[in-house]
């Protein structure tokens, strides 16, 4: 006599912010209680629908009353719900869900310089270089994860062939780096 549904839990793919920058694989783990009837492997499924064709079910090496179901989401998305369900041999059903977020598109970064330029391309005083960052949508139209960090403004003083490196990073840990310059600055009068 078994009236207790299996417990279904899942792994957390991606980084601390919940974003993946590669295909996101979620492992759902179904476990029947110690006095339970055992899991029905044919009725343990996972995926966006879920159906038997979407996830891969395998035995859990540490517990004979547990099964794992792995499902992978490949498309970029700001939120795709994945589901799992597991039935035991007494037809009790356990459920779990997890929303994956996938951003494989790198952010963009541009640099712009402000300052007074002389006739031969040299700046006459300090040059301020500012970086602007965006996190574009994916090719499939999915929203990006958003910019997490963007290099700030920097000021250059007298010197030739000066360059600055700026970095943009999104919340899915994708990075883009740009080198700005060269800038020539001569603030001293002849």
């Amino acid at each position: 006599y078994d009236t207790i549904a299996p417990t279904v839990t899942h792994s957390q793919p991606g980084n601390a912010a919940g974003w993946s920058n590669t295909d996101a694989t979620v492992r759902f783990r179904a476990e029947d209680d110690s006095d339970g009837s055992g899991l029905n492997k044919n009725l343990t499924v996972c995926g966006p629908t879920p159906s038997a064709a979407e996830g891969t079910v395998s035995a859990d090496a540490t517990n004979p009353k547990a099964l794992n179901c792995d499902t992978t989401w490949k498309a970029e998305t700001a939120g795709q719900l994945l589901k799992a369900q597991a039935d035991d041999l007494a037809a009790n059903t356990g459920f779990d869900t997890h929303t994956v977020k996938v951003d494989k598109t790198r952010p963009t970064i541009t640099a712009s310089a402000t300052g007074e330029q002389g006739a031969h391309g040299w700046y006459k005083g300090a040059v301020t270089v500012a970086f602007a960052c965006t996190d574009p949508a994916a090719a499939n139209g999915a929203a990006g994860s958003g910019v997490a960090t963007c290099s700030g403004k920097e000021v250059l003083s007298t010197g030739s062939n000066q360059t600055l490196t700026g970095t943009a990073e999104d919340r899915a840990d994708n990075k883009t780096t740009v080198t700005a310059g060269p800038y020539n600055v001569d603030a001293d009068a002849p």
Side-chain angles (χ1 to χ4, degrees):
Y1 184 58
D2 181 358
T3 61
I4 300 172
T7 301
V8 183
T9 58
H10 63 270
S11 64
Q12 170 71 39
N15 62 20
W19 283 91
S20 297
N21 59 18
T22 61
D23 298 347
T25 299
V26 177
R27 169 164 279 187
F28 289 97
R29 185 174 189 276
E31 185 174 350
D32 204 13
D33 63 287
S34 61
D35 295 326
S37 57
L39 294 171
N40 185 338
K41 186 174 182 179
N42 295 326
L43 294 177
T44 298
V45 293
C46 63
T49 309
S51 76
E54 293 173 340
T56 303
V57 178
S58 61
D60 187 295
T62 62
N63 184 345
K65 290 207 171 213
L67 293 171
N68 296 315
C69 189
D70 297 326
T71 185
T72 300
W73 189 261
K74 297 180 180 186
E76 293 189 72
T77 179
Q80 173 62 49
L81 184 66
L82 299 178
K83 306 171 188 176
Q85 74 179 55
D87 284 13
D88 64 17
L89 297 173
N92 299 303
T93 305
F95 300 93
D96 191 22
T97 62
H98 179 69
T99 300
V100 294
K101 300 181 284 187
V102 179
D103 178 359
K104 300 176 185 180
T105 304
R106 293 180 356 178
T108 61
I109 182 169
T110 57
S112 61
T114 56
E116 185 181 351
Q117 243 181 336
H120 300 287
W122 281 72
Y123 286 88
K124 295 180 178 185
V127 176
T128 301
V129 179
F131 294 96
C133 302
T134 60
D135 191 30
N140 68 3
S145 58
V147 174
T149 61
C150 183
S151 294
K153 290 182 183 180
E154 293 197 42
V155 178
L156 298 173
S157 57
T158 300
S160 62
N161 292 316
Q162 299 177 77
T163 60
L164 290 173
T165 301
T167 302
E169 184 173 0
D170 66 19
R171 292 178 54 217
D173 300 330
N174 297 302
K175 291 182 184 178
T176 302
T177 300
V178 66
T179 300
Y183 301 104
N184 298 310
V185 181
D186 185 357
D188 300 325

